[in-house]
Amino acid sequence: MTKQPLQTLFDAMYHGKLSFDDFLHSAMPQNYEVISSSYSGKRTIFKPKENLKAYHRFLNLFLFEDLPINERVVFSYRKGVGAVNAVEKHRHGRYFFQTDIRSFFHSIDSSLTKNVILTGADSCAISDIHQHIDRIIDLVCVDDSVPVGFPASAPLSNSVLFNFDNEMESICKSLELVYSRYADDIIISGQKQSNLVGMDDSVQEKLHTFASHKFSINRKKTRFFQVGGKIKILGMMILPNGTISPDTKKKRDIEVLLHFYLSDKDKFNQMILEMRVRARKDSEDLEDVGQDILSGNLNYVDSIDPEYTNKLRRKFGAATIDMLIHKGFSNKK
C-alpha cells in the first residue's frame, strides 16, 4: 500500500467539490444539529449535516474501514455479513450466555478513539495521520464520545474492541466455547454448562483490561439459557434442528402488515405511522415509506429463512412478495 498525504487523498476523492480547508478548520458545532425530541428522554441526538457526512465517508474509506478488527467473530457494520452470521456460529450450542455493553457508543471516548487510530495507523493509506489526528478526533467525537448515527461511529465501534475480541476468542477456544459479537451484543455458547459459569464477571474484567474502564456489561440484560427453552438471539430463533429463523413476533408483524397492505391501505398506513412515531421519524409519504419498511422486513427474513419467504409467497401471492423484495434491491442502487 502506497501511503499519501491526507489532502492528496481528500482532493482525489472530491475533486474540489469540497474544501479541504473547511475539512480542517470548520467549527464542529456548525457541522451537526442537536435534535430535541419528546421521545428521546434525556439522550441528546446529534444529526450530522451533509458536509460532515461527506467528511466521514472520506475518513471511513481511507482510515476507519482499514483499522484492525477480528473478522472471525465481529459481524456488525460489515459488507456481506450481518446479525444472522453472528447467530449462526451458535446454531449447535446447548448452553448460552448473552449480554450487551451499556451505553456502548457513549463510552467510546476521545482518548480511546485516538489510541485505536494511532495503533492501527500502519494499516491505513494516510501518510501524515499524526499531523492531523487531533482534527480527526474533533470530526468524529462530540462531547468526548462517539455519537450514535454518525457515519464513522459504526466502523470505529468494531475496532475499539479489537484486543478484547481477540482475548475473548482465545479464552472461549480454550474452553471449547464459541464467541461472537454484533456491535454491543456479546454471545457465547458451548456444549458444557460448567464452562459458562462466571462468564459475566469474566467478560466485564476483560472489557476493562483489553478495552476501557468505561465499558460495563448491562447486568439487567445479561442472561444464561439452554436448549429446551426459547433460544432467541438478536431477534432470531435457533430451532431444535439448528436452523435459524426470524423471531415469531417479527413473522407475525410482517404477516399483519402484508394483510392490510393488500386489503386495507388506511389501516396499513396507520400501522406505519405508529411505527414511525415509535422510531421518532417523520410521517410524510406514508404509503411509500410503508412499502420501504415492508420491503426491508421481507429482505431481512429472506436472508435468514428463504423457506419462510416461500410460505409468504403461497399465502399472499408470489407477485406481491417478489415485487416488494425487489423494491428493496432497487432502493439500494
Side-chain angles (χ1 to χ4, degrees), residues 59-94:
L59 290 170
N60 282 349
L61 181 62
F62 291 103
L63 174 58
F64 297 129
E65 290 175 359
D66 289 329
L67 292 175
I69 67 170
N70 186 331
E71 294 185 351
R72 295 183 299 275
V73 300
V74 180
F75 299 95
S76 44
Y77 314 122
R78 290 175 49 210
K79 294 179 182 178
V81 298
V84 64
N85 302 99
V87 176
E88 278 180 336
K89 286 177 68 72
H90 305 277
R91 63 195 313 160
H92 300 302
R94 293 188 56 80

Side-chain angles (χ1 to χ4, degrees), residues 77 102-109 145-148 153-154 157 183 215:
Y77 314 122
R102 187 171 59 237
S103 302
F104 181 44
F105 286 90
H106 185 71
S107 300
I108 305 173
D109 61 18
S145 69
V146 170
V148 176
S153 299
S157 73
F215 289 131

Side-chain angles (χ1 to χ4, degrees), residues 273-286:
L273 176 60
E274 292 171 0
M275 292 171 67
R276 301 287 285 179
V277 168
R278 288 197 298 270
R280 303 189 294 275
K281 297 182 178 180
D282 61 69
S283 57
E284 296 179 3
D285 303 319
L286 279 177

Side-chain angles (χ1 to χ4, degrees), residues 97-100 200 217-224:
F97 166 83
Q98 184 178 13
T99 191
D100 68 17
D200 48 348
I217 65 170
N218 191 332
R219 297 282 181 175
K220 292 182 178 179
K221 293 184 179 180
T222 297
R223 63 189 185 119
F224 293 86

Side-chain angles (χ1 to χ4, degrees), residues 116-127:
V116 167
I117 293 171
L118 293 179
T119 301
D122 287 345
S123 63
C124 81
I126 303 169
S127 62

